[in-house]
C-alpha cells in the first residue's frame, strides 16, 4: 500500500515514523512534511485547503491507497468528503462529524442528547445575553469561541470581569474572526485532566492507551497556553476502572448518538477529560490525534497501524486488536525561545543523530527545515524528543538525556514533563 500523511508537525512525523516500519506500507508520502519526515517519506508542498483538487490529483497519480490527516482544519473543511467523492480511501471524520471539534455548540448539543457528563453551559449569539449570563452565574467560568481558533479560543476566567472581557474580545472585537461570532459559556470544572483517544469505524470504538499533555509554557504548569510542551503515556490518573467509565459513559453513547444523527464517526476521537470527584467529564472533543500525545502513543503501539486504519475505513474494527508496549513513554518538546509569542527561526540544530542513537529514543521533528544540507529551526515547537523507559521515572530520564544531546540557539523546554505522573506514583 502507498500511504499519504497530511500535516507538518511532530504528530505527523510520528505517523510517518510508524508507517515507515509497516510491512504493509510500500511508499510513504507527506504533504507538506518537514525536514525530519523527509528521511522516511517523500514530501511534497501542496495546498491542504478546499477544494483539495491538487491533493486529490497527487493521490491519484501516486496510487495512494490510504490518506491520514493530522490537523483538524482540513477535516473540519471537508477533506474526507472530497477524497471519498473522488473514490479515494481516507481515514478521518466527514465534515459533518468533525463538527464535534469544529463547533463547541454542536459538541455540547450532542453531549446533552446522549446524556454525556460535561460542564453545564449556555450558547450565545448575542454579546449582551452572554454578559448577562456571566453576571448572573459569576466566576470562575469558562468562555469558549464556538469555532476553530488554533487552540486559543478557550479562556478560563477567575473573575466575572475577565469573563466579560473574554466575551467582548471574541464576540465584539472578533479576535478569532467568525469562530467567535458564537460563544459557549460554561461551568469551570475542577480535577485532573487526561487525554483519552479512541479509533472509530462508525460503530466500534477501540480505546488507545491513556496520556496526558502539558499545555502551559513553563515549569510548574505556569505561563501561557501552548500547543503542548510535552506528554507522557500512560496517565496514572486513568486506571482501568476510569477507562471503562470513559468508554461506557462517554464514548459509546456518543458513537450511538452520532450514528442516530446520520453522522457515524470514523477516525480518531480525542476526548479531553476532566477527572472530577464525581467522575469523568468531557472538556472537549477533538476530531484527530493529539499533538504531542501521538508522539508518546505511537512508540508504545506494538501493533501495525496500517491494518487498523484500513479496518476503521471498512467498518471492521471489531476484528482488530491494538496491543501496547508496557513501557511508559515521555516526549519533551524543544521550542524556539519566546514561543508561544514572538520567536526567531533559522538556527542550526546539532545533536539530533546522537539523540536518535540512544536506545528506545526517537526525535520527532515539528518546526524544522533543511537549509543548505543543514537542519535548522523553522517554527515555534521545533522537536519532540521522545523516549521509552522501564518505568515513568526512567522514561523521563531517558527523554531528558536525549534532550541533553541536542542544541540550538535559544532552545526552550520544560524540565518537569511528567511531574503529575511521578507524584501519583510516589504518593
Ligand atoms: P480546549 O481548547 O477545549 O482543549 O480547552 C483548553 C483547556 O482549557 C483545557 O485543556 C482545560 O485545561 C481548559 N478548560 C476547558 N474547559 C474547561 C472547563 N469547563 N473547566 C475548566 N477548565 C477548562
Ligand atoms: N495536545 C492537545 C491537542 O492536541 O489538542
Amino acid at each position: 500500500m502507498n500511504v499519504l500523511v497530511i500535516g507538518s508537525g511532530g504528530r505527523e512525523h510520528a505517523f510517518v515514523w510508524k508507517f515507515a516500519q509497516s510491512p504493509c506500507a510500500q511508499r510513504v508520502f507527506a504533504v507538506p512534511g518537514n525536514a525530519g519526515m523527509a528521511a522516511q517519506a517523500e514530501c511534497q508542498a501542496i495546498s491542504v485547503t478546499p477544494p483539495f483538487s491538487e491533493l486529490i490529483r497527487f493521490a491519484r497519480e501516486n496510487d495512494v491507497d490510504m490518506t491520514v490527516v493530522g490537523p483538524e482544519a482540513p477535516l473540519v473543511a471537508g477533506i474526507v468528503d472530497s477524497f471519498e467523492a473522488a473514490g479515494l480511501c481516507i481515514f478521518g471524520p466527514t465534515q459533518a462529524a468533525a463538527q464535534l471539534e469544529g463547533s463547541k455548540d454542536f459538541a455540547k448539543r450532542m453531549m446533552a442528547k446522549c446524556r454525556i457528563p460535561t460542564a453545564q453551559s449556555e450558547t450565545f449569539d448575542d454579546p449582551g445575553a452572554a454578559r448577562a449570563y456571566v453576571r448572573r452565574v459569576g466566576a470562575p467560568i469558562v468562555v469558549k469561541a464556538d469555532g476553530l481558533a488554533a487552540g486559543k479560543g478557550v479562556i478560563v476566567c477567575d473573575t466575572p470581569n475577565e469573563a466579560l472581557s473574554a466575551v467582548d474580545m471574541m464576540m465584539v472585537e472578533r479576535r478569532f474572526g467568525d469562530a467567535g461570532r458564537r460563544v459557549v459559556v460554561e461551568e469551570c470544572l475542577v480535577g485532573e485532566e487526561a487525554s483519552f483517544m479512541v479509533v472509530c469505524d462508525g460503530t466500534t470504538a477501540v480505546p488507545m492507551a491513556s496520556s496526558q499533555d502539558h499545555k502551559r509554557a513553563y515549569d510548574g504548569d505556569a505561563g501561557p497556553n501552548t500547543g503542548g510542551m510535552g506528554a507522557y503515556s500512560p496517565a496514572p490518573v486513568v486506571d482501568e476502572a476510569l477507562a471503562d467509565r470513559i468508554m461506557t459513559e462517554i464514548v459509546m453513547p456518543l458513537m450511538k448518538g452520532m450514528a442516530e444523527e446520520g453522522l457515524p464517526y470514523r477516525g480518531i476521537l480525542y476526548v479531553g477529560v476532566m477527572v472530577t470527584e464525581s467522575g469523568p467529564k468531557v472538556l472537549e472533543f477533538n476530531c484527530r490525534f493529539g499533538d504531542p500525545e501521538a508522539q508518546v502513543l505511537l512508540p508504545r503501539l506494538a501493533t501495525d497501524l496500517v491494518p487498523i486504519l484500513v479496518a476503521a475505513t471498512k467498518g471492521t474494527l471489531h476484528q482488530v486488536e491494538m496491543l501496547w508496549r508496557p513501557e511508559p513513554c515521555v516526549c519533551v518538546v524543544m521550542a524556539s525561545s519566546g514561543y508561544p509569542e514572538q520567536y526567531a527561526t533559522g538556527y542550526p540544530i546539532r545533536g539530533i543523530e546522537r539523540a536518535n542513537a540512544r536506545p528506545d529514543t526517537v526525535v520527532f521533528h515539528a518546526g524544522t527545515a533543511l537549509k543548505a544540507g543543514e537542519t535548522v529551526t523553522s517554527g515555534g515547537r521545533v522537536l519532540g524528543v521522545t523516549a521509552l523507559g522501564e518505568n515513568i521515572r526512567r522514561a523521563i530520564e531517558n527523554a531528558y538525556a536525549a534532550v541533553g544531546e541536542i542544541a540550538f540557539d535559544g532552545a526552550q523546554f520544560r524540565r518537569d514533563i511528567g511531574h503529575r505522573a511521578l507524584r501519583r506514583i510516589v504518593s
Side-chain angles (χ1 to χ4, degrees):
M1 284 180 74
N2 296 333
V3 186
L4 166 62
V5 177
I6 309 282
S8 63
R11 164 184 53 206
E12 291 79 21
H13 189 189
F15 271 124
V16 162
W17 172 83
K18 185 72 182 158
F19 291 144
Q21 299 164 43
S22 169
C24 305
Q26 265 103 46
R27 294 175 77 183
V28 182
F29 299 96
V31 171
N34 62 31
M37 287 187 241
Q40 289 135 359
E42 301 168 51
C43 298
Q44 187 82 30
I46 301 175
S47 156
V48 291
T49 51
F52 309 106
S53 30
E54 205 190 327
L55 203 52
I56 287 170
R57 193 171 332 120
F58 176 84
R60 283 197 177 130
E61 280 169 6
N62 289 284
D63 298 320
V64 169
D65 301 291
M66 165 69 73
T67 298
V68 182
V69 187
E72 63 278 12
L75 293 165
V76 172
I79 191 171
V80 168
D81 311 65
S82 299
F83 267 58
E84 285 179 346
L88 291 164
C89 180
I90 183 165
F91 172 75
T94 59
Q95 180 170 35
Q99 284 183 87
L100 282 178
E101 177 165 5
S103 165
K104 306 241 187 240
D105 177 54
F106 174 84
K108 282 291 184 187
R109 281 188 279 123
M110 281 308 300
M111 285 188 267
K113 172 181 146 71
C114 306
R115 300 179 183 283
I116 291 170
T118 184
Q120 288 280 353
S121 76
E122 293 262 349
T123 297
F124 299 96
D125 291 307
D126 168 43
R131 286 189 209 104
Y133 181 77
V134 166
R135 288 198 189 93
R136 183 155 60 79
V137 302
I141 196 163
V142 184
V143 181
K144 301 185 169 186
D146 179 57
L148 292 185
K152 299 192 175 77
V154 173
I155 305 187
V156 180
C157 306
D158 293 326
T159 64
N161 274 342
E162 263 179 68
L164 295 172
S165 307
V167 166
D168 282 348
M169 190 257 273
M170 288 179 197
M171 301 187 86
V172 182
E173 294 163 32
R174 291 290 173 86
R175 200 79 64 81
F176 307 124
D178 277 351
R181 193 206 309 256
R182 170 175 285 178
V183 300
V184 171
V185 183
E186 74 179 27
E187 168 200 9
C188 190
L189 298 175
V190 180
E192 187 169 337
E193 277 184 67
S195 311
F196 194 86
M197 275 157 265
V198 290
V199 185
C200 312
D201 70 359
T203 313
T204 304
V206 181
M208 295 198 232
S210 63
S211 54
Q212 274 175 310
D213 72 345
H214 291 268
K215 288 204 172 77
R216 302 298 197 96
Y218 312 129
D219 285 5
D221 295 316
N225 257 317
T226 70
M229 293 302 288
Y232 48 95
S233 170
V237 66
V238 184
D239 57 18
E240 217 169 298
L242 188 71
D244 283 348
R245 280 189 75 177
I246 295 171
M247 287 303 289
T248 54
E249 294 173 24
I250 299 169
V251 175
M252 298 320 295
L254 184 69
M255 287 298 115
K256 188 162 166 282
M258 292 292 283
E260 281 168 10
E261 292 287 307
L263 310 172
Y265 192 91
R266 252 176 252 114
I268 289 173
L269 177 74
Y270 172 129
V271 188
V273 180
M274 186 71 96
V275 184
T276 72
E277 277 180 354
S278 57
K281 294 191 178 180
V282 175
L283 289 170
E284 57 161 343
F285 290 124
N286 293 324
C287 61
R288 37 119 192 128
F289 228 138
D291 183 341
E293 288 92 334
Q295 290 90 312
V296 291
L297 286 171
L298 291 176
R300 293 192 64 217
L301 181 60
T303 325
D304 188 354
L305 184 58
V306 176
I308 296 170
L309 302 187
V310 170
T313 56
K314 288 197 175 134
T316 55
L317 257 187
H318 56 282
Q319 295 170 357
V320 307
E321 210 181 358
M322 287 180 97
L323 298 174
W324 300 91
R325 290 178 64 165
E327 298 95 332
C329 188
V330 171
C331 170
V332 178
V333 169
M334 296 181 80
S336 297
S337 170
Y339 174 78
E341 274 103 38
Q342 302 294 329
Y343 54 82
T345 59
Y347 298 115
I349 310 171
R350 291 172 299 276
I352 294 176
E353 277 173 23
R354 274 199 308 279
N356 267 327
R358 294 182 54 84
D360 275 336
T361 303
V362 50
V363 180
F364 294 120
H365 291 230
T368 68
L370 281 172
K371 205 166 100 189
E374 198 173 37
T375 304
V376 300
T377 65
S378 70
R381 288 191 293 172
V382 177
L383 300 170
V385 183
T386 308
L388 294 148
E390 67 200 49
N391 55 44
I392 186 78
R393 187 183 300 281
R394 293 302 290 269
I396 292 170
E397 284 167 9
N398 291 343
Y400 279 105
V403 167
E405 300 283 6
I406 298 172
F408 57 87
D409 275 5
Q412 169 187 320
F413 57 90
R414 282 182 56 166
R415 284 157 211 279
D416 65 346
I417 299 303
H419 71 86
R420 272 170 292 172
L422 275 184
R423 215 171 35 231
R424 268 188 188 270
I425 283 159
V426 173
S427 62

